[in-house]
Short mmCIF file of all heavy atoms in Angstrom, two decimals:
data_model
loop_
_atom_site.label_atom_id
_atom_site.label_comp_id
_atom_site.label_asym_id
_atom_site.label_seq_id
_atom_site.Cartn_x
_atom_site.Cartn_y
_atom_site.Cartn_z
N ILE A 35 48.56 -14.37 22.03
CA ILE A 35 49.79 -14.77 22.70
C ILE A 35 49.70 -16.23 23.11
O ILE A 35 48.74 -16.65 23.76
CB ILE A 35 50.05 -13.89 23.95
CG1 ILE A 35 50.07 -12.40 23.55
CG2 ILE A 35 51.35 -14.29 24.62
CD1 ILE A 35 50.20 -11.47 24.73
N TYR A 36 50.70 -17.01 22.69
CA TYR A 36 50.80 -18.41 23.09
C TYR A 36 51.96 -18.53 24.07
O TYR A 36 53.05 -17.99 23.82
CB TYR A 36 51.09 -19.32 21.89
CG TYR A 36 50.02 -19.30 20.80
CD1 TYR A 36 50.03 -18.34 19.81
CD2 TYR A 36 49.03 -20.26 20.79
CE1 TYR A 36 49.07 -18.33 18.82
CE2 TYR A 36 48.05 -20.27 19.80
CZ TYR A 36 48.09 -19.29 18.82
OH TYR A 36 47.13 -19.29 17.84
N GLY A 37 51.73 -19.25 25.16
CA GLY A 37 52.80 -19.49 26.10
C GLY A 37 53.73 -20.59 25.61
O GLY A 37 53.59 -21.12 24.51
N GLU A 38 54.69 -20.97 26.44
CA GLU A 38 55.61 -22.05 26.08
C GLU A 38 54.83 -23.34 25.84
O GLU A 38 53.94 -23.70 26.61
CB GLU A 38 56.63 -22.26 27.21
CG GLU A 38 57.56 -21.07 27.41
CD GLU A 38 58.57 -21.32 28.50
OE1 GLU A 38 58.68 -22.49 28.92
OE2 GLU A 38 59.24 -20.38 28.95
N ASN A 39 55.18 -24.02 24.76
CA ASN A 39 54.57 -25.30 24.39
C ASN A 39 53.08 -25.19 24.05
O ASN A 39 52.38 -26.21 24.00
CB ASN A 39 54.75 -26.33 25.51
CG ASN A 39 56.20 -26.57 25.85
OD1 ASN A 39 57.05 -26.60 24.96
ND2 ASN A 39 56.49 -26.72 27.13
N GLU A 40 52.58 -23.98 23.83
CA GLU A 40 51.14 -23.82 23.57
C GLU A 40 50.81 -23.81 22.09
O GLU A 40 49.65 -23.94 21.73
CB GLU A 40 50.61 -22.53 24.22
CG GLU A 40 50.45 -22.64 25.72
CD GLU A 40 49.77 -21.41 26.30
OE1 GLU A 40 49.29 -20.57 25.52
OE2 GLU A 40 49.72 -21.30 27.54
N THR A 41 51.80 -23.61 21.22
CA THR A 41 51.49 -23.60 19.78
C THR A 41 51.11 -24.99 19.30
O THR A 41 50.34 -25.14 18.35
CB THR A 41 52.69 -23.09 18.96
OG1 THR A 41 53.80 -23.97 19.15
CG2 THR A 41 53.06 -21.68 19.37
N GLY A 42 51.64 -26.03 19.97
CA GLY A 42 51.30 -27.39 19.59
C GLY A 42 51.87 -27.82 18.26
O GLY A 42 51.44 -28.81 17.68
N VAL A 43 52.85 -27.08 17.72
CA VAL A 43 53.42 -27.37 16.41
C VAL A 43 54.94 -27.40 16.52
O VAL A 43 55.55 -26.54 17.16
CB VAL A 43 53.01 -26.30 15.36
CG1 VAL A 43 53.61 -26.63 14.01
CG2 VAL A 43 51.50 -26.22 15.26
N THR A 44 55.56 -28.42 15.93
CA THR A 44 57.02 -28.49 15.86
C THR A 44 57.42 -28.73 14.41
O THR A 44 56.57 -28.83 13.52
CB THR A 44 57.56 -29.63 16.74
OG1 THR A 44 57.06 -30.88 16.22
CG2 THR A 44 57.10 -29.47 18.18
N PHE A 45 58.71 -28.83 14.18
CA PHE A 45 59.20 -29.06 12.82
C PHE A 45 58.73 -30.40 12.26
O PHE A 45 58.68 -30.59 11.04
CB PHE A 45 60.72 -29.00 12.79
CG PHE A 45 61.27 -27.59 12.79
CD1 PHE A 45 62.54 -27.31 13.28
CD2 PHE A 45 60.51 -26.54 12.30
CE1 PHE A 45 63.04 -26.03 13.27
CE2 PHE A 45 61.00 -25.25 12.29
CZ PHE A 45 62.26 -24.98 12.79
N ASP A 46 58.39 -31.35 13.13
CA ASP A 46 57.88 -32.65 12.66
C ASP A 46 56.53 -32.49 11.97
O ASP A 46 56.14 -33.35 11.16
CB ASP A 46 57.76 -33.62 13.83
CG ASP A 46 59.11 -34.01 14.40
OD1 ASP A 46 60.11 -33.91 13.64
OD2 ASP A 46 59.18 -34.39 15.58
N ASP A 47 55.79 -31.43 12.31
CA ASP A 47 54.47 -31.20 11.70
C ASP A 47 54.57 -30.45 10.38
O ASP A 47 53.55 -30.23 9.72
CB ASP A 47 53.58 -30.40 12.67
CG ASP A 47 53.38 -31.12 13.98
OD1 ASP A 47 52.96 -32.29 13.93
OD2 ASP A 47 53.67 -30.53 15.04
N VAL A 48 55.76 -30.02 10.02
CA VAL A 48 55.97 -29.28 8.77
C VAL A 48 56.75 -30.16 7.81
O VAL A 48 57.89 -30.56 8.10
CB VAL A 48 56.73 -27.96 9.01
CG1 VAL A 48 56.86 -27.18 7.70
CG2 VAL A 48 56.02 -27.12 10.06
N ALA A 49 56.16 -30.47 6.67
CA ALA A 49 56.82 -31.32 5.69
C ALA A 49 56.94 -30.57 4.36
O ALA A 49 56.20 -29.63 4.09
CB ALA A 49 56.03 -32.61 5.48
N GLY A 50 57.90 -31.01 3.55
CA GLY A 50 58.05 -30.44 2.22
C GLY A 50 58.77 -29.11 2.16
O GLY A 50 58.85 -28.50 1.10
N GLN A 51 59.30 -28.65 3.30
CA GLN A 51 60.01 -27.37 3.33
C GLN A 51 61.33 -27.54 4.10
O GLN A 51 61.61 -26.83 5.06
CB GLN A 51 59.14 -26.28 4.00
CG GLN A 51 57.82 -26.00 3.30
CD GLN A 51 58.01 -25.38 1.93
OE1 GLN A 51 59.10 -24.89 1.59
NE2 GLN A 51 56.96 -25.36 1.12
N ASP A 52 62.12 -28.48 3.66
CA ASP A 52 63.36 -28.81 4.37
C ASP A 52 64.33 -27.63 4.40
O ASP A 52 64.99 -27.37 5.41
CB ASP A 52 64.02 -30.03 3.73
CG ASP A 52 63.18 -31.28 3.88
OD1 ASP A 52 62.35 -31.33 4.81
OD2 ASP A 52 63.34 -32.21 3.06
N GLU A 53 64.46 -26.93 3.26
CA GLU A 53 65.40 -25.81 3.20
C GLU A 53 64.97 -24.69 4.14
O GLU A 53 65.79 -24.07 4.82
CB GLU A 53 65.51 -25.27 1.77
CG GLU A 53 66.14 -26.24 0.78
CD GLU A 53 65.16 -27.29 0.30
OE1 GLU A 53 63.95 -27.16 0.60
OE2 GLU A 53 65.59 -28.25 -0.36
N ALA A 54 63.67 -24.40 4.18
CA ALA A 54 63.16 -23.36 5.06
C ALA A 54 63.37 -23.74 6.52
O ALA A 54 63.78 -22.91 7.34
CB ALA A 54 61.67 -23.11 4.78
N LYS A 55 63.13 -25.01 6.86
CA LYS A 55 63.33 -25.44 8.24
C LYS A 55 64.81 -25.34 8.64
O LYS A 55 65.13 -24.98 9.77
CB LYS A 55 62.84 -26.89 8.41
CG LYS A 55 61.33 -27.02 8.37
CD LYS A 55 60.86 -28.38 8.89
CE LYS A 55 61.24 -29.49 7.96
NZ LYS A 55 60.65 -30.79 8.40
N GLU A 56 65.68 -25.65 7.68
CA GLU A 56 67.11 -25.56 7.98
C GLU A 56 67.53 -24.13 8.27
O GLU A 56 68.34 -23.87 9.16
CB GLU A 56 67.91 -26.12 6.80
CG GLU A 56 69.39 -26.20 7.03
CD GLU A 56 70.14 -26.80 5.85
OE1 GLU A 56 69.48 -27.45 5.00
OE2 GLU A 56 71.36 -26.61 5.76
N SER A 57 66.95 -23.17 7.52
CA SER A 57 67.29 -21.76 7.73
C SER A 57 66.79 -21.27 9.09
O SER A 57 67.44 -20.46 9.75
CB SER A 57 66.68 -20.90 6.62
OG SER A 57 67.21 -21.25 5.36
N LEU A 58 65.63 -21.77 9.50
CA LEU A 58 65.04 -21.32 10.76
C LEU A 58 65.59 -22.09 11.96
O LEU A 58 65.41 -21.65 13.11
CB LEU A 58 63.52 -21.47 10.70
CG LEU A 58 62.82 -20.58 9.67
CD1 LEU A 58 61.34 -20.96 9.55
CD2 LEU A 58 62.94 -19.11 10.04
N ALA A 59 66.23 -23.22 11.71
CA ALA A 59 66.77 -24.02 12.82
C ALA A 59 67.86 -23.26 13.58
O ALA A 59 68.03 -23.44 14.79
CB ALA A 59 67.33 -25.35 12.31
N GLU A 60 68.60 -22.38 12.89
CA GLU A 60 69.63 -21.58 13.57
C GLU A 60 69.02 -20.66 14.59
O GLU A 60 69.58 -20.44 15.66
CB GLU A 60 70.42 -20.78 12.53
CG GLU A 60 71.27 -21.63 11.60
CD GLU A 60 72.05 -20.78 10.62
OE1 GLU A 60 72.13 -19.55 10.83
OE2 GLU A 60 72.56 -21.32 9.63
N ILE A 61 67.86 -20.09 14.25
CA ILE A 61 67.19 -19.20 15.21
C ILE A 61 66.77 -19.98 16.45
O ILE A 61 66.92 -19.52 17.59
CB ILE A 61 65.96 -18.54 14.54
CG1 ILE A 61 66.42 -17.64 13.39
CG2 ILE A 61 65.13 -17.77 15.54
CD1 ILE A 61 65.29 -17.03 12.60
N VAL A 62 66.26 -21.19 16.23
CA VAL A 62 65.86 -22.03 17.36
C VAL A 62 67.07 -22.36 18.22
O VAL A 62 67.01 -22.29 19.46
CB VAL A 62 65.20 -23.33 16.85
CG1 VAL A 62 64.90 -24.27 18.00
CG2 VAL A 62 63.92 -23.01 16.09
N ASP A 63 68.19 -22.70 17.58
CA ASP A 63 69.40 -23.05 18.32
C ASP A 63 69.91 -21.86 19.12
O ASP A 63 70.39 -22.02 20.24
CB ASP A 63 70.47 -23.55 17.35
CG ASP A 63 71.68 -24.12 18.08
OD1 ASP A 63 71.48 -24.94 18.99
OD2 ASP A 63 72.81 -23.73 17.74
N PHE A 64 69.81 -20.67 18.56
CA PHE A 64 70.26 -19.47 19.28
C PHE A 64 69.40 -19.26 20.52
O PHE A 64 69.92 -18.93 21.60
CB PHE A 64 70.19 -18.25 18.37
CG PHE A 64 70.81 -17.01 18.98
CD1 PHE A 64 72.10 -16.63 18.64
CD2 PHE A 64 70.11 -16.24 19.89
CE1 PHE A 64 72.67 -15.49 19.21
CE2 PHE A 64 70.67 -15.11 20.46
CZ PHE A 64 71.96 -14.74 20.12
N LEU A 65 68.09 -19.43 20.39
CA LEU A 65 67.21 -19.24 21.54
C LEU A 65 67.45 -20.30 22.61
O LEU A 65 67.24 -20.05 23.81
CB LEU A 65 65.75 -19.28 21.08
CG LEU A 65 65.31 -18.11 20.18
CD1 LEU A 65 63.91 -18.34 19.65
CD2 LEU A 65 65.37 -16.80 20.94
N HIS A 66 67.90 -21.50 22.19
CA HIS A 66 68.21 -22.56 23.16
C HIS A 66 69.59 -22.35 23.79
O HIS A 66 69.75 -22.52 25.01
CB HIS A 66 68.18 -23.92 22.48
CG HIS A 66 66.81 -24.49 22.33
ND1 HIS A 66 66.50 -25.50 21.45
CD2 HIS A 66 65.64 -24.17 22.95
CE1 HIS A 66 65.21 -25.79 21.54
NE2 HIS A 66 64.68 -25.00 22.43
N ASN A 67 70.57 -22.01 22.96
CA ASN A 67 71.96 -21.91 23.43
C ASN A 67 72.57 -20.58 22.99
O ASN A 67 73.42 -20.54 22.09
CB ASN A 67 72.78 -23.07 22.86
CG ASN A 67 72.14 -24.42 23.11
OD1 ASN A 67 72.00 -24.84 24.25
ND2 ASN A 67 71.76 -25.11 22.04
N PRO A 68 72.14 -19.48 23.58
CA PRO A 68 72.66 -18.16 23.15
C PRO A 68 74.13 -17.95 23.52
O PRO A 68 74.82 -17.17 22.86
CB PRO A 68 71.76 -17.17 23.88
CG PRO A 68 71.27 -17.91 25.08
CD PRO A 68 71.16 -19.35 24.67
N ASP A 69 74.62 -18.66 24.54
CA ASP A 69 75.97 -18.38 25.04
C ASP A 69 77.04 -18.66 24.00
O ASP A 69 78.00 -17.89 23.85
CB ASP A 69 76.25 -19.22 26.30
CG ASP A 69 75.35 -18.83 27.45
OD1 ASP A 69 74.85 -17.67 27.42
OD2 ASP A 69 75.13 -19.65 28.37
#
């Protein structure tokens, strides 16, 4: 189990998978702004 900010990895650390990041960005946005 990693707490908030404990994974130490963001999308800036992932390269070469732009389409995959775009698909997963919606999930991130939902967790940030569910309303």
Side-chain angles (χ1 to χ4, degrees):
I35 304 175
Y36 299 85
E38 295 182 12
N39 301 322
E40 285 187 8
T41 61
V43 180
T44 63
F45 281 154
D46 292 336
D47 300 306
V48 183
Q51 300 293 344
D52 295 337
E53 294 80 9
K55 288 195 292 186
E56 185 178 342
S57 298
L58 295 172
E60 292 181 14
I61 296 175
V62 174
D63 188 49
F64 188 99
L65 293 173
H66 278 162
N67 308 296
D69 295 337

